[in-house]
Amino acid sequence: MEKTIKSQWPGAFRMLSCAVIITAVIAGCTKKEPDTASSPDLNNPVKSGNAVSLLSVDLMSGNPILPVATADPDIIYANGKYYIYPTATGPNASQFHAYSSTDLLNWTDEGIVLNLANVSWAQTDGWAPSVVARNGNYYFYYTAAKKIGVAVSTSPTGPFVDKGTALATGDGTDPIDPMVFIDTDGQAYMYWGNTTFNVQRLNTDMISLTGTRSHDKPSNYFEAPYVIKRNSTYYLMYSINDFSSDDYHVEYATSSNPMGPWTTKGRITSALGAIKGPGHNAVISKPGCSEEYFFVYHRRTSTNIHERQVAIDRMFFDGAGNIMPINISVSGVTQSAGTASCLTPNPIPNGQYAIRSKVNTTSGAGLYLDIAGCATGNADVRTWTRTTCAGQKWNLTYLNNGYYKILSELPTHKSLDLDACSIERGANVQVWDVFSNDCQQWRIESVGDGWYRIMAKAGNNVLDIVNGDATPGADVRTWTWNGAAPQYWKFEAP
């Protein structure tokens, strides 16, 4: 069904390709060749010495987030910074870099942290690292020449020194993509392998394996395993299809044991429009915030399968503990320093409210979220001074998945709706017939002093008054979060 009331800014502010054009000579790769180029950057990279930062969009990270085309990211938090480690770049995919950020907005290239030129047993095909902290050290697990290596450093930015021999070859034809998980009891496990799934315990030295190797896997497993634990349940995420496929994507399975058996649960990522192949993920929760997860992965907008880009979006669980499908975005995530307070999943109790903007008229009157003309059909949403019309009364219901349903109190009870589920900023906001899709789910997050931002599930942008217009009747759209008054909302008695 065509459901467009008003289409503002058509095609504007497209941020699907936001990385620096970079070219490298690649040789010796048969499967996962390193990325060699990307589309023009719309966010203006800033260079300072060896550091390169990709600027954020307002107070959001934007996607992609790294200033080069690369893939297969891992992410950790250490010493007040987030660190992302992707597949190696440089000659023959031999140079692993780390990228750091204090708040998920701007990422700085920390330089080469491991160079395969300094590894005795393999010098090419450096893919898919995994980094963990333990014993006062940082352990860097990686693929090289289709074997698994491990290097050690006292710093998350290296230099990492290889142990001198491969840690494992694994079983199967492609023993790649290592991931190390440390359980709450202190036992560490390494997961790896394409098609053949390998799981084995690590010794406390973190550079040698012990015990029996398991191959128990979900029936549709392909590659890129990643494990987290939540409420005594182990979640195994993994990628499906070859990385070159437009439908390369992430699925997951669960178990009560870190070595399985695994119960297949469902799909997490899907291609969206020009964004293809969203896969090979890592997950991190904000420090001290057990329910605030970030999902880091690669994707591409180019027909060149090697022009992959690293992106970040939020990840949520529903009330039954299932991972919700990731909402692919071009805006990314909001500023989130590791020291910032945790967000409350459902800060507003279910009930009926008038939703007031922080913007007032020039005479000082409040402006409220309002249905144009108090219309009972599908209609535009705007601002207006306070009236008795039920078009300014909104019924909130928390859906137990990080989002709310917001329905009008008018007799037809239309739903607050994002036009066409657009992921681009500038999309119009309206009321529409009630559906269960992402167009009609909204996240509410506190921004202090009783004010909130209201974020669309599709696109991750926030309710915003066009141009901050203080005139009653100004249109309401979604836009990237910038912390300005037109994006602040308060929930009052109706």
Side-chain angles (χ1 to χ4, degrees):
M1 178 192 299
E2 177 65 30
K3 54 187 282 307
T4 300
I5 290 291
K6 184 187 295 181
S7 296
Q8 290 202 351
W9 309 89
F13 301 102
R14 295 186 181 272
M15 296 178 287
L16 291 178
S17 44
C18 304
V20 182
I21 296 177
I22 184 170
T23 303
V25 177
I26 308 300
C29 295
T30 59
K31 176 183 177 289
K32 287 191 173 183
E33 296 183 44
D35 302 314
T36 60
S38 66
S39 304
D41 169 39
L42 301 183
N43 296 319
N44 299 321
V46 175
K47 297 183 179 181
S48 176
N50 292 325
V52 182
S53 295
L54 188 65
L55 294 184
S56 56
V57 182
D58 290 331
L59 294 176
M60 299 188 74
S61 66
N63 272 327
I65 55 175
L66 297 188
V68 296
T70 187
D72 311 326
D74 191 25
I75 185 169
I76 68 169
Y77 184 83
N79 303 331
K81 293 183 179 181
Y82 297 93
Y83 292 90
I84 286 179
Y85 305 86
T87 274
T89 54
N92 300 314
S94 61
Q95 298 170 346
F96 287 100
H97 287 243
Y99 297 85
S100 68
S101 175
T102 58
D103 59 5
L104 300 178
L105 262 65
N106 299 306
W107 292 88
T108 299
D109 185 352
E110 296 288 351
I112 299 171
V113 298
L114 175 66
N115 193 332
L116 295 185
N118 301 322
V119 174
S120 60
W121 53 271
Q123 285 77 47
T124 63
D125 298 345
W127 302 333
S130 174
V131 179
V132 296
R134 197 170 201 184
N135 306 328
N137 293 318
Y138 294 87
Y139 296 87
F140 189 101
Y141 303 86
Y142 62 97
T143 306
K146 294 191 177 181
K147 298 177 183 178
I148 306 302
V150 57
V152 186
S153 177
T154 57
S155 167
T157 57
F160 288 90
V161 178
D162 182 75
K163 79 164 197 166
T165 57
L167 171 60
T169 57
D171 299 317
T173 57
D174 266 337
I176 62 173
D177 296 351
M179 186 273 165
V180 170
F181 163 74
I182 302 176
D183 205 349
T184 48
D185 64 1
Q187 178 61 58
Y189 300 82
M190 188 168 77
Y191 305 78
W192 74 103
N194 171 290
T195 307
T196 299
F197 181 61
N198 303 285
V199 187
Q200 194 168 352
R201 292 178 177 86
L202 281 157
N203 285 310
T204 55
D205 65 7
M206 300 298 286
I207 61 170
S208 60
L209 296 166
T210 186
T212 302
R213 182 174 300 170
S214 170
H215 301 297
D216 195 315
K217 66 176 182 178
S219 58
N220 54 347
Y221 171 90
F222 188 75
E223 67 178 11
Y226 197 91
V227 173
I228 64 171
K229 184 179 184 181
R230 178 180 181 268
N231 299 337
S232 75
T233 296
Y234 298 89
Y235 293 78
L236 169 64
M237 289 162 264
Y238 47 91
S239 292
I240 306 298
N241 296 321
D242 186 82
F243 85 101
S244 63
S245 169
D246 286 357
D247 193 38
Y248 187 68
H249 66 273
V250 179
E251 298 184 9
Y252 82 104
T254 60
S255 178
S256 59
N257 187 294
M259 296 186 75
W262 302 96
T263 300
T264 301
K265 299 295 289 186
R267 183 168 180 150
I268 300 176
T269 67
S270 297
L272 180 63
I275 301 173
K276 309 297 184 185
H280 201 120
N281 74 287
V283 172
I284 193 171
S285 59
K286 190 166 77 175
C289 304
S290 60
E291 293 303 310
E292 202 167 334
Y293 292 92
F294 299 102
F295 185 90
V296 181
Y297 61 106
H298 74 241
R299 63 197 205 183
R300 60 181 170 83
T301 57
S302 172
T303 55
N304 182 336
I305 62 172
H306 302 301
E307 291 180 3
R308 295 168 292 174
Q309 303 165 326
V310 173
I312 183 169
D313 282 301
R314 291 285 301 277
M315 186 178 85
F316 294 91
F317 292 82
D318 67 16
N322 300 306
I323 298 177
M324 302 290 292
I326 299 299
N327 287 98
I328 301 297
S329 79
V330 292
S331 295
V333 299
T334 55
Q335 184 176 35
S336 186
T339 55
S341 299
C342 301
L343 297 173
T344 303
N346 54 334
I348 303 296
N350 290 351
Q352 188 176 104
Y353 300 88
I355 303 177
R356 178 175 180 166
S357 170
K358 197 172 186 179
V359 175
N360 294 325
T361 67
T362 54
S363 63
L367 289 170
Y368 291 80
L369 202 64
D370 178 277
I371 297 173
C374 221
T376 57
N378 300 329
D380 196 46
V381 169
R382 62 177 185 182
T383 63
W384 202 262
T385 53
R386 192 66 181 266
T387 71
T388 58
C389 175
Q392 291 187 357
K393 297 178 181 179
W394 302 92
N395 298 306
L396 272 63
T397 303
Y398 185 63
L399 300 177
N400 208 23
N401 65 354
Y403 298 91
Y404 287 82
K405 195 78 168 180
I406 304 178
L407 300 181
S408 167
E409 178 57 15
L410 285 168
T412 48
H413 301 299
K414 300 288 184 176
S415 177
L416 192 68
D417 179 279
L418 176 65
D419 190 2
C421 277
S422 175
I423 66 172
E424 295 190 33
R425 59 181 185 174
N428 189 54
V429 175
Q430 56 200 17
V431 287
W432 204 266
D433 299 329
V434 176
F435 296 108
S436 59
N437 60 31
D438 292 348
C439 304
Q440 298 183 1
Q441 295 187 42
W442 303 87
R443 187 162 71 251
I444 299 173
E445 295 179 344
S446 173
V447 290
D449 298 325
W451 296 99
Y452 299 84
R453 60 187 173 216
I454 303 174
M455 309 188 76
K457 187 177 184 186
N460 210 30
N461 295 315
V462 303
L463 286 193
D464 176 270
I465 300 172
V466 173
N467 299 324
D469 193 341
T471 306
D475 195 54
V476 175
R477 62 181 179 183
T478 60
W479 199 258
T480 41
W481 169 247
N482 58 33
Q487 300 183 345
Y488 279 58
W489 304 89
K490 184 174 287 187
F491 295 84
E492 297 182 347

